[in-house]
Amino acid sequence: MDLGIKGKRALVTGGSRGIGASVAKTLAAEGARVAVVSRDAESVETLIGELGGERSGHYGQPLDLMEDGACPAFIDDLEKNFGQVDIVVQNLGGPMGVNDPLCGIEDWRQVLHFNLEITIELNGLLIPHMKAQKWGRIVHVSSIAGVENTGPVPYCTAKAALCAYTRSFGRVLAPDGIVMSAVVPGVVLTEGGYWDEKSRENPEDVESYLASRTPLGRFGMPDEIANITAFLCSQQASFMQAAIVPVDGGQAKGYFV
């Protein structure tokens, strides 16, 4: 299937490794020009090189978007050096080591800022161009933690809010030809990620978790998330406004009805 995005400019946040890197590679394979932003400069450079480098129209920016003023400065740099974005995949997120549900409010704010507020701020800067051209795709990478009890409470709350934001704002953007949606991955094995570490530390516990919580009894892989994400970025997703799409091997129970 031709996704119809050849020549489109796509931005992937948190895109240097794992799901983000797989999404970037999939979009590039479909002919999109891809920009990636991530804190890990070495990983960004490696990924952009794998995509064919700047000579092939791709662009990488090592940057911590948590810093004050980082989002508008980044978008200004991006438009000067890459161009205005037609597609954005918001893959930034994580629990940030905040596991205590009774943590202080500053910890809550950090988790919410990382998983939700940066996405909202970047969208606010990117949407005007999409509205002007009457076409755009915005895909949020949420988490199974946002729809069922798995993971730290602040992280679950932030990802649930991201889904609610997608459902609400996606309807607002629909008349402008912009499709905002979200993918909800289940447990995904990424190199150096949480489940990779847990599998080495406590393989029996991980096997027990997979057997009890996932119908397939296995992890998802980054490319299984990336393929669905790329479809949501495509011309073919024109009737998927505000969609929340589980890619979880059937893990979530009773939420997606």
Side-chain angles (χ1 to χ4, degrees):
M1 178 184 293
D2 181 4
L3 297 186
I5 56 174
K6 185 176 182 179
K8 297 287 188 185
R9 290 181 175 89
L11 167 64
V12 182
T13 67
S16 65
R17 293 181 292 178
I19 292 173
S22 290
V23 170
K25 291 174 183 178
T26 303
L27 293 176
E30 289 291 328
R33 296 172 58 189
V34 179
V36 171
V37 58
S38 174
R39 289 177 291 186
D40 189 335
E42 184 177 352
S43 295
V44 169
E45 183 179 0
T46 297
L47 176 61
I48 295 302
E50 291 175 359
L51 298 182
E54 293 189 8
R55 65 182 181 278
S56 297
H58 307 299
Y59 181 72
Q61 174 68 276
L63 181 67
D64 185 355
L65 291 172
M66 287 284 286
E67 296 178 358
D68 290 342
C71 288
F74 168 63
I75 295 302
D76 183 60
D77 174 85
L78 187 70
E79 292 181 351
K80 289 177 181 177
N81 294 289
F82 178 72
Q84 293 183 307
V85 171
D86 310 300
I87 297 165
V88 58
V89 177
Q90 302 274 20
N91 181 56
L92 200 65
M96 302 189 71
V98 179
N99 298 314
D100 183 2
L102 292 176
C103 64
I105 192 63
E106 286 305 318
D107 284 335
W108 272 92
R109 286 171 177 154
Q110 286 288 95
V111 174
L112 289 168
H113 183 59
F114 189 47
N115 289 276
L116 179 65
E117 292 177 0
I118 291 172
T119 289
I120 293 172
E121 185 174 8
L122 287 175
N123 285 346
L125 296 166
L126 296 170
I127 285 171
H129 166 67
M130 297 180 184
K131 292 183 72 168
Q133 68 177 5
K134 292 293 182 180
W135 196 96
R137 297 289 185 268
I138 301 169
V139 184
H140 302 134
V141 180
S142 186
S143 169
I144 194 74
V147 300
E148 71 173 37
N149 182 26
T150 177
V153 171
Y155 177 67
C156 292
T157 302
K159 288 302 189 182
L162 183 60
C163 287
Y165 167 75
T166 302
R167 288 292 289 166
S168 300
F169 202 11
R171 290 172 57 86
V172 172
L173 295 173
D176 291 303
I178 302 169
V179 179
M180 175 182 281
S181 61
V183 292
V184 180
V187 287
V188 177
L189 186 65
T190 60
E191 184 177 355
Y194 174 83
W195 287 110
D196 187 21
E197 293 181 3
K198 287 295 180 183
S199 294
R200 290 195 296 269
E201 294 170 0
N202 300 294
E204 292 183 0
D205 288 349
V206 170
E207 287 180 11
S208 176
Y209 177 90
L210 292 173
S212 64
R213 300 293 291 272
T214 64
L216 293 179
R218 70 167 177 87
F219 290 111
M221 301 305 292
D223 63 334
E224 293 179 299
I225 312 303
N227 289 333
I228 302 303
T229 302
F231 181 84
L232 292 171
C233 295
S234 75
Q235 298 280 12
Q236 314 304 331
S238 58
F239 202 59
M240 298 189 71
Q241 288 80 3
I244 308 294
V245 182
V247 193
D248 65 354
Q251 182 177 350
K253 300 174 182 178
Y255 182 86
F256 302 99
V257 179

